[in-house]
Amino acid sequence: MKLLEDRIRKDGVVKQGDILKVDSFLNHQMDVELFNQMGEEFKRLFADRPVNKILTIEASGIGIACIVAQHFHVPVVFAKKSKSVNLEGEMYTTKIESFTHKRVYDVIVAKKFLSAQDHILIIDDFLANGCAVSGLIDLIRSAGATVEGVGIAVEKGFQEGGKLIRSKGIRVESLAIVESMNPEDGSIVFRPQEN
Ligand code: 5GP
């Protein structure tokens, strides 16, 4: 999506440790008009899928997921990072290692919000090593629900997550795929996309 690539080039900051900072428009201050155009694009890309719910993970996926959901006219559920899992009977649980915080979280979704009848679109801001998305897939499978696809704002194509999730036969659509980035000069190269 050219609009998002242009914005990343303009306002994204390449940090050491393979981190792309986009906090001026994506995951701290949020450009809701941009989110709206991203939502329109995800709707176009997943138009053939019978999505009835969007699943994301707190915190930075929530804003994007909510705007995307307006285009699908479906509710959003966000998986919560929990320090203690003491309600296991009522929750689906999994573990996710945070790429940015380098720690493992227990992540939960209440059973009442995921069921075998659900057809889920996963939405998140970044795809790096794929831990967050794998954990969300785990929660969906625990509920016996169907993964209809994964919509990502920014995929870092030089990390393994995209390959990992696609190798499970799951459709992943990323609006911008960073092929390489250089913290020394701030340059970012995007993977050419067809649509
Ligand atoms: P993964 O689980 O795929 O390794 O990492 C994805 C999660 O880590 C995303 O939910 C996102 O919040 C965070 N993340 C990974 N890489 C980056 C990055 O380069 N920049 C930012 N801002 N967040 C990232």
PDB file of all heavy atoms in Angstrom, residues 18-22 27 57 60 96-100 124-133 156 159 161 181, ligand 1:
ATOM      1  N   ASP A  18      16.822  -4.095  14.827  1.00  0.00           N
ATOM      2  CA  ASP A  18      15.728  -4.426  13.899  1.00  0.00           C
ATOM      3  C   ASP A  18      14.382  -3.848  14.312  1.00  0.00           C
ATOM      4  O   ASP A  18      13.334  -4.455  14.091  1.00  0.00           O
ATOM      5  CB  ASP A  18      15.588  -5.954  13.735  1.00  0.00           C
ATOM      6  CG  ASP A  18      16.753  -6.551  12.966  1.00  0.00           C
ATOM      7  OD1 ASP A  18      17.393  -5.799  12.197  1.00  0.00           O
ATOM      8  OD2 ASP A  18      17.017  -7.750  13.150  1.00  0.00           O
ATOM      9  N   ILE A  19      14.406  -2.696  14.952  1.00  0.00           N
ATOM     10  CA  ILE A  19      13.154  -2.047  15.366  1.00  0.00           C
ATOM     11  C   ILE A  19      12.878  -0.852  14.453  1.00  0.00           C
ATOM     12  O   ILE A  19      13.746  -0.014  14.223  1.00  0.00           O
ATOM     13  CB  ILE A  19      13.240  -1.534  16.825  1.00  0.00           C
ATOM     14  CG1 ILE A  19      13.438  -2.684  17.803  1.00  0.00           C
ATOM     15  CG2 ILE A  19      12.014  -0.706  17.179  1.00  0.00           C
ATOM     16  CD1 ILE A  19      12.209  -3.425  18.214  1.00  0.00           C
ATOM     17  N   LEU A  20      11.654  -0.820  13.931  1.00  0.00           N
ATOM     18  CA  LEU A  20      11.188   0.334  13.163  1.00  0.00           C
ATOM     19  C   LEU A  20      10.217   1.096  14.052  1.00  0.00           C
ATOM     20  O   LEU A  20       9.207   0.547  14.496  1.00  0.00           O
ATOM     21  CB  LEU A  20      10.484  -0.157  11.891  1.00  0.00           C
ATOM     22  CG  LEU A  20       9.859   0.907  11.001  1.00  0.00           C
ATOM     23  CD1 LEU A  20      10.914   1.877  10.461  1.00  0.00           C
ATOM     24  CD2 LEU A  20       9.121   0.233   9.832  1.00  0.00           C
ATOM     25  N   LYS A  21      10.544   2.354  14.315  1.00  0.00           N
ATOM     26  CA  LYS A  21       9.678   3.149  15.182  1.00  0.00           C
ATOM     27  C   LYS A  21       8.691   3.926  14.331  1.00  0.00           C
ATOM     28  O   LYS A  21       9.087   4.681  13.441  1.00  0.00           O
ATOM     29  CB  LYS A  21      10.537   4.106  16.012  1.00  0.00           C
ATOM     30  CG  LYS A  21      10.318   3.884  17.491  1.00  0.00           C
ATOM     31  CD  LYS A  21      11.091   4.783  18.364  1.00  0.00           C
ATOM     32  CE  LYS A  21      10.235   4.907  19.628  1.00  0.00           C
ATOM     33  NZ  LYS A  21      10.560   5.962  20.481  1.00  0.00           N
ATOM     34  N   VAL A  22       7.429   3.717  14.602  1.00  0.00           N
ATOM     35  CA  VAL A  22       6.399   4.435  13.839  1.00  0.00           C
ATOM     36  C   VAL A  22       5.392   5.038  14.820  1.00  0.00           C
ATOM     37  O   VAL A  22       4.200   5.077  14.565  1.00  0.00           O
ATOM     38  CB  VAL A  22       5.677   3.488  12.838  1.00  0.00           C
ATOM     39  CG1 VAL A  22       6.560   3.160  11.651  1.00  0.00           C
ATOM     40  CG2 VAL A  22       5.218   2.205  13.513  1.00  0.00           C
ATOM     41  N   ASN A  27       1.537   3.581  16.416  1.00  0.00           N
ATOM     42  CA  ASN A  27       1.299   2.888  17.684  1.00  0.00           C
ATOM     43  C   ASN A  27       1.608   3.674  18.954  1.00  0.00           C
ATOM     44  O   ASN A  27       1.838   3.097  20.007  1.00  0.00           O
ATOM     45  CB  ASN A  27       1.968   1.504  17.712  1.00  0.00           C
ATOM     46  CG  ASN A  27       3.428   1.540  17.327  1.00  0.00           C
ATOM     47  OD1 ASN A  27       4.050   2.576  17.430  1.00  0.00           O
ATOM     48  ND2 ASN A  27       3.959   0.420  16.875  1.00  0.00           N
ATOM     49  N   ILE A  57      -4.180  -8.165  19.595  1.00  0.00           N
ATOM     50  CA  ILE A  57      -3.554  -8.281  20.924  1.00  0.00           C
ATOM     51  C   ILE A  57      -3.250  -6.888  21.452  1.00  0.00           C
ATOM     52  O   ILE A  57      -2.871  -6.004  20.679  1.00  0.00           O
ATOM     53  CB  ILE A  57      -2.306  -9.189  20.852  1.00  0.00           C
ATOM     54  CG1 ILE A  57      -1.649  -9.317  22.224  1.00  0.00           C
ATOM     55  CG2 ILE A  57      -1.310  -8.714  19.813  1.00  0.00           C
ATOM     56  CD1 ILE A  57      -0.683 -10.489  22.325  1.00  0.00           C
ATOM     57  N   SER A  60      -0.933  -2.337  21.036  1.00  0.00           N
ATOM     58  CA  SER A  60      -0.843  -1.533  19.817  1.00  0.00           C
ATOM     59  C   SER A  60      -1.699  -2.045  18.658  1.00  0.00           C
ATOM     60  O   SER A  60      -1.924  -1.312  17.700  1.00  0.00           O
ATOM     61  CB  SER A  60       0.610  -1.387  19.381  1.00  0.00           C
ATOM     62  OG  SER A  60       1.231  -2.637  19.350  1.00  0.00           O
ATOM     63  N   ILE A  96       3.068 -15.788  24.769  1.00  0.00           N
ATOM     64  CA  ILE A  96       3.633 -15.037  23.647  1.00  0.00           C
ATOM     65  C   ILE A  96       4.879 -14.312  24.128  1.00  0.00           C
ATOM     66  O   ILE A  96       4.856 -13.647  25.164  1.00  0.00           O
ATOM     67  CB  ILE A  96       2.607 -14.017  23.098  1.00  0.00           C
ATOM     68  CG1 ILE A  96       1.457 -14.759  22.408  1.00  0.00           C
ATOM     69  CG2 ILE A  96       3.279 -13.037  22.133  1.00  0.00           C
ATOM     70  CD1 ILE A  96       0.372 -13.867  21.845  1.00  0.00           C
ATOM     71  N   GLU A  97       5.962 -14.453  23.338  1.00  0.00           N
ATOM     72  CA  GLU A  97       7.173 -13.705  23.674  1.00  0.00           C
ATOM     73  C   GLU A  97       7.137 -12.369  22.945  1.00  0.00           C
ATOM     74  O   GLU A  97       7.015 -12.329  21.723  1.00  0.00           O
ATOM     75  CB  GLU A  97       8.414 -14.496  23.267  1.00  0.00           C
ATOM     76  CG  GLU A  97       9.666 -13.740  23.657  1.00  0.00           C
ATOM     77  CD  GLU A  97      10.941 -14.531  23.423  1.00  0.00           C
ATOM     78  OE1 GLU A  97      10.868 -15.716  23.084  1.00  0.00           O
ATOM     79  OE2 GLU A  97      12.006 -13.911  23.583  1.00  0.00           O
ATOM     80  N   SER A  98       7.235 -11.307  23.711  1.00  0.00           N
ATOM     81  CA  SER A  98       7.188  -9.976  23.111  1.00  0.00           C
ATOM     82  C   SER A  98       8.511  -9.649  22.434  1.00  0.00           C
ATOM     83  O   SER A  98       9.573  -9.742  23.052  1.00  0.00           O
ATOM     84  CB  SER A  98       6.888  -8.940  24.186  1.00  0.00           C
ATOM     85  OG  SER A  98       7.215  -7.657  23.705  1.00  0.00           O
ATOM     86  N   PHE A  99       8.411  -9.259  21.149  1.00  0.00           N
ATOM     87  CA  PHE A  99       9.620  -8.911  20.398  1.00  0.00           C
ATOM     88  C   PHE A  99      10.252  -7.644  20.957  1.00  0.00           C
ATOM     89  O   PHE A  99      11.467  -7.557  21.107  1.00  0.00           O
ATOM     90  CB  PHE A  99       9.268  -8.697  18.921  1.00  0.00           C
ATOM     91  CG  PHE A  99      10.460  -8.336  18.084  1.00  0.00           C
ATOM     92  CD1 PHE A  99      11.296  -9.317  17.601  1.00  0.00           C
ATOM     93  CD2 PHE A  99      10.758  -7.017  17.801  1.00  0.00           C
ATOM     94  CE1 PHE A  99      12.410  -8.997  16.852  1.00  0.00           C
ATOM     95  CE2 PHE A  99      11.866  -6.676  17.053  1.00  0.00           C
ATOM     96  CZ  PHE A  99      12.698  -7.673  16.568  1.00  0.00           C
ATOM     97  N   THR A 100       9.420  -6.664  21.285  1.00  0.00           N
ATOM     98  CA  THR A 100       9.958  -5.366  21.703  1.00  0.00           C
ATOM     99  C   THR A 100      10.360  -5.354  23.182  1.00  0.00           C
ATOM    100  O   THR A 100      11.273  -4.645  23.568  1.00  0.00           O
ATOM    101  CB  THR A 100       8.942  -4.236  21.420  1.00  0.00           C
ATOM    102  OG1 THR A 100       7.631  -4.716  21.680  1.00  0.00           O
ATOM    103  CG2 THR A 100       9.024  -3.791  19.993  1.00  0.00           C
ATOM    104  N   ASP A 124      -2.829  -7.071  13.270  1.00  0.00           N
ATOM    105  CA  ASP A 124      -1.807  -6.534  14.187  1.00  0.00           C
ATOM    106  C   ASP A 124      -0.987  -5.475  13.460  1.00  0.00           C
ATOM    107  O   ASP A 124      -1.032  -5.372  12.234  1.00  0.00           O
ATOM    108  CB  ASP A 124      -0.914  -7.657  14.729  1.00  0.00           C
ATOM    109  CG  ASP A 124      -0.271  -7.280  16.079  1.00  0.00           C
ATOM    110  OD1 ASP A 124      -0.576  -6.194  16.627  1.00  0.00           O
ATOM    111  OD2 ASP A 124       0.544  -8.069  16.597  1.00  0.00           O
ATOM    112  N   ASP A 125      -0.262  -4.697  14.257  1.00  0.00           N
ATOM    113  CA  ASP A 125       0.517  -3.600  13.670  1.00  0.00           C
ATOM    114  C   ASP A 125       1.773  -4.111  12.966  1.00  0.00           C
ATOM    115  O   ASP A 125       2.080  -3.681  11.863  1.00  0.00           O
ATOM    116  CB  ASP A 125       0.858  -2.532  14.730  1.00  0.00           C
ATOM    117  CG  ASP A 125       1.647  -3.069  15.923  1.00  0.00           C
ATOM    118  OD1 ASP A 125       1.688  -4.308  16.123  1.00  0.00           O
ATOM    119  OD2 ASP A 125       2.220  -2.249  16.668  1.00  0.00           O
ATOM    120  N   PHE A 126       2.498  -5.054  13.621  1.00  0.00           N
ATOM    121  CA  PHE A 126       3.768  -5.538  13.075  1.00  0.00           C
ATOM    122  C   PHE A 126       3.792  -7.055  13.016  1.00  0.00           C
ATOM    123  O   PHE A 126       3.205  -7.729  13.855  1.00  0.00           O
ATOM    124  CB  PHE A 126       4.937  -5.096  13.969  1.00  0.00           C
ATOM    125  CG  PHE A 126       5.501  -3.747  13.615  1.00  0.00           C
ATOM    126  CD1 PHE A 126       4.974  -2.589  14.173  1.00  0.00           C
ATOM    127  CD2 PHE A 126       6.551  -3.646  12.715  1.00  0.00           C
ATOM    128  CE1 PHE A 126       5.494  -1.341  13.840  1.00  0.00           C
ATOM    129  CE2 PHE A 126       7.072  -2.418  12.379  1.00  0.00           C
ATOM    130  CZ  PHE A 126       6.542  -1.261  12.939  1.00  0.00           C
ATOM    131  N   LEU A 127       4.513  -7.581  12.031  1.00  0.00           N
ATOM    132  CA  LEU A 127       4.858  -8.999  12.004  1.00  0.00           C
ATOM    133  C   LEU A 127       6.384  -9.078  11.960  1.00  0.00           C
ATOM    134  O   LEU A 127       7.000  -8.587  11.005  1.00  0.00           O
ATOM    135  CB  LEU A 127       4.226  -9.665  10.784  1.00  0.00           C
ATOM    136  CG  LEU A 127       4.474 -11.158  10.585  1.00  0.00           C
ATOM    137  CD1 LEU A 127       3.995 -11.980  11.771  1.00  0.00           C
ATOM    138  CD2 LEU A 127       3.760 -11.655   9.316  1.00  0.00           C
ATOM    139  N   ALA A 128       6.970  -9.655  13.019  1.00  0.00           N
ATOM    140  CA  ALA A 128       8.437  -9.781  13.085  1.00  0.00           C
ATOM    141  C   ALA A 128       8.799 -11.266  13.060  1.00  0.00           C
ATOM    142  O   ALA A 128       8.887 -11.869  11.999  1.00  0.00           O
ATOM    143  CB  ALA A 128       8.958  -9.069  14.337  1.00  0.00           C
ATOM    144  N   ASN A 129       8.917 -11.867  14.239  1.00  0.00           N
ATOM    145  CA  ASN A 129       9.221 -13.313  14.278  1.00  0.00           C
ATOM    146  C   ASN A 129       7.965 -14.181  14.285  1.00  0.00           C
ATOM    147  O   ASN A 129       8.060 -15.404  14.214  1.00  0.00           O
ATOM    148  CB  ASN A 129      10.080 -13.636  15.501  1.00  0.00           C
ATOM    149  CG  ASN A 129      11.467 -13.038  15.381  1.00  0.00           C
ATOM    150  OD1 ASN A 129      12.002 -12.940  14.273  1.00  0.00           O
ATOM    151  ND2 ASN A 129      12.039 -12.617  16.485  1.00  0.00           N
ATOM    152  N   GLY A 130       6.832 -13.546  14.414  1.00  0.00           N
ATOM    153  CA  GLY A 130       5.565 -14.283  14.304  1.00  0.00           C
ATOM    154  C   GLY A 130       5.031 -14.842  15.614  1.00  0.00           C
ATOM    155  O   GLY A 130       4.042 -15.570  15.616  1.00  0.00           O
ATOM    156  N   CYS A 131       5.654 -14.475  16.746  1.00  0.00           N
ATOM    157  CA  CYS A 131       5.186 -15.009  18.039  1.00  0.00           C
ATOM    158  C   CYS A 131       3.774 -14.539  18.363  1.00  0.00           C
ATOM    159  O   CYS A 131       2.929 -15.336  18.787  1.00  0.00           O
ATOM    160  CB  CYS A 131       6.097 -14.571  19.173  1.00  0.00           C
ATOM    161  SG  CYS A 131       7.696 -15.294  19.085  1.00  0.00           S
ATOM    162  N   ALA A 132       3.517 -13.250  18.164  1.00  0.00           N
ATOM    163  CA  ALA A 132       2.200 -12.714  18.512  1.00  0.00           C
ATOM    164  C   ALA A 132       1.112 -13.390  17.670  1.00  0.00           C
ATOM    165  O   ALA A 132       0.114 -13.889  18.206  1.00  0.00           O
ATOM    166  CB  ALA A 132       2.180 -11.193  18.309  1.00  0.00           C
ATOM    167  N   VAL A 133       1.329 -13.451  16.364  1.00  0.00           N
ATOM    168  CA  VAL A 133       0.311 -14.045  15.479  1.00  0.00           C
ATOM    169  C   VAL A 133       0.161 -15.544  15.766  1.00  0.00           C
ATOM    170  O   VAL A 133      -0.960 -16.057  15.821  1.00  0.00           O
ATOM    171  CB  VAL A 133       0.649 -13.781  13.997  1.00  0.00           C
ATOM    172  CG1 VAL A 133      -0.227 -14.619  13.079  1.00  0.00           C
ATOM    173  CG2 VAL A 133       0.478 -12.292  13.679  1.00  0.00           C
ATOM    174  N   LYS A 156       8.075  -7.109   8.688  1.00  0.00           N
ATOM    175  CA  LYS A 156       9.514  -7.009   8.444  1.00  0.00           C
ATOM    176  C   LYS A 156       9.914  -8.307   7.751  1.00  0.00           C
ATOM    177  O   LYS A 156      10.064  -9.351   8.368  1.00  0.00           O
ATOM    178  CB  LYS A 156      10.255  -6.783   9.762  1.00  0.00           C
ATOM    179  CG  LYS A 156      10.009  -5.362  10.310  1.00  0.00           C
ATOM    180  CD  LYS A 156      10.780  -5.077  11.578  1.00  0.00           C
ATOM    181  CE  LYS A 156      10.208  -5.876  12.716  1.00  0.00           C
ATOM    182  NZ  LYS A 156      10.928  -5.648  13.995  1.00  0.00           N
ATOM    183  N   GLN A 159      12.639 -10.850   8.695  1.00  0.00           N
ATOM    184  CA  GLN A 159      12.489 -11.730   9.856  1.00  0.00           C
ATOM    185  C   GLN A 159      11.568 -12.891   9.460  1.00  0.00           C
ATOM    186  O   GLN A 159      10.983 -12.886   8.385  1.00  0.00           O
ATOM    187  CB  GLN A 159      11.981 -10.922  11.058  1.00  0.00           C
ATOM    188  CG  GLN A 159      13.058  -9.933  11.504  1.00  0.00           C
ATOM    189  CD  GLN A 159      12.632  -9.018  12.649  1.00  0.00           C
ATOM    190  OE1 GLN A 159      11.702  -8.243  12.533  1.00  0.00           O
ATOM    191  NE2 GLN A 159      13.346  -9.123  13.740  1.00  0.00           N
ATOM    192  N   GLY A 161       8.721 -14.340  10.658  1.00  0.00           N
ATOM    193  CA  GLY A 161       7.297 -14.498  10.949  1.00  0.00           C
ATOM    194  C   GLY A 161       6.408 -14.751   9.740  1.00  0.00           C
ATOM    195  O   GLY A 161       5.568 -15.650   9.740  1.00  0.00           O
ATOM    196  N   MET A 181      16.348  -2.613   6.181  1.00  0.00           N
ATOM    197  CA  MET A 181      16.411  -1.247   6.723  1.00  0.00           C
ATOM    198  C   MET A 181      17.737  -1.063   7.432  1.00  0.00           C
ATOM    199  O   MET A 181      18.312  -2.024   7.939  1.00  0.00           O
ATOM    200  CB  MET A 181      15.220  -0.966   7.637  1.00  0.00           C
ATOM    201  CG  MET A 181      15.040  -1.912   8.796  1.00  0.00           C
ATOM    202  SD  MET A 181      13.471  -1.600   9.635  1.00  0.00           S
ATOM    203  CE  MET A 181      13.859  -2.359  11.242  1.00  0.00           C
TER     204      MET A 181
HETATM  205  P1  5GP B   1       6.479 -10.906  16.591  1.00  0.00           P
HETATM  206  O1  5GP B   1       5.616 -11.517  17.660  1.00  0.00           O
HETATM  207  O2  5GP B   1       5.986 -11.137  15.208  1.00  0.00           O
HETATM  208  O3  5GP B   1       7.934 -11.245  16.780  1.00  0.00           O
HETATM  209  O4  5GP B   1       6.428  -9.337  16.848  1.00  0.00           O
HETATM  210  C1  5GP B   1       5.227  -8.651  16.628  1.00  0.00           C
HETATM  211  C2  5GP B   1       4.889  -7.739  17.773  1.00  0.00           C
HETATM  212  O5  5GP B   1       6.031  -7.074  18.277  1.00  0.00           O
HETATM  213  C3  5GP B   1       3.914  -6.682  17.312  1.00  0.00           C
HETATM  214  O6  5GP B   1       2.704  -6.872  18.010  1.00  0.00           O
HETATM  215  C4  5GP B   1       4.551  -5.353  17.663  1.00  0.00           C
HETATM  216  O7  5GP B   1       3.857  -4.758  18.702  1.00  0.00           O
HETATM  217  C5  5GP B   1       5.957  -5.673  18.106  1.00  0.00           C
HETATM  218  N1  5GP B   1       6.990  -5.314  17.108  1.00  0.00           N
HETATM  219  C6  5GP B   1       7.789  -6.178  16.427  1.00  0.00           C
HETATM  220  N2  5GP B   1       8.671  -5.525  15.663  1.00  0.00           N
HETATM  221  C7  5GP B   1       8.421  -4.218  15.831  1.00  0.00           C
HETATM  222  C8  5GP B   1       9.021  -3.032  15.284  1.00  0.00           C
HETATM  223  O8  5GP B   1       9.969  -3.054  14.487  1.00  0.00           O
HETATM  224  N3  5GP B   1       8.486  -1.848  15.676  1.00  0.00           N
HETATM  225  C9  5GP B   1       7.451  -1.769  16.562  1.00  0.00           C
HETATM  226  N4  5GP B   1       6.991  -0.553  16.869  1.00  0.00           N
HETATM  227  N5  5GP B   1       6.869  -2.862  17.095  1.00  0.00           N
HETATM  228  C10 5GP B   1       7.351  -4.078  16.745  1.00  0.00           C
END
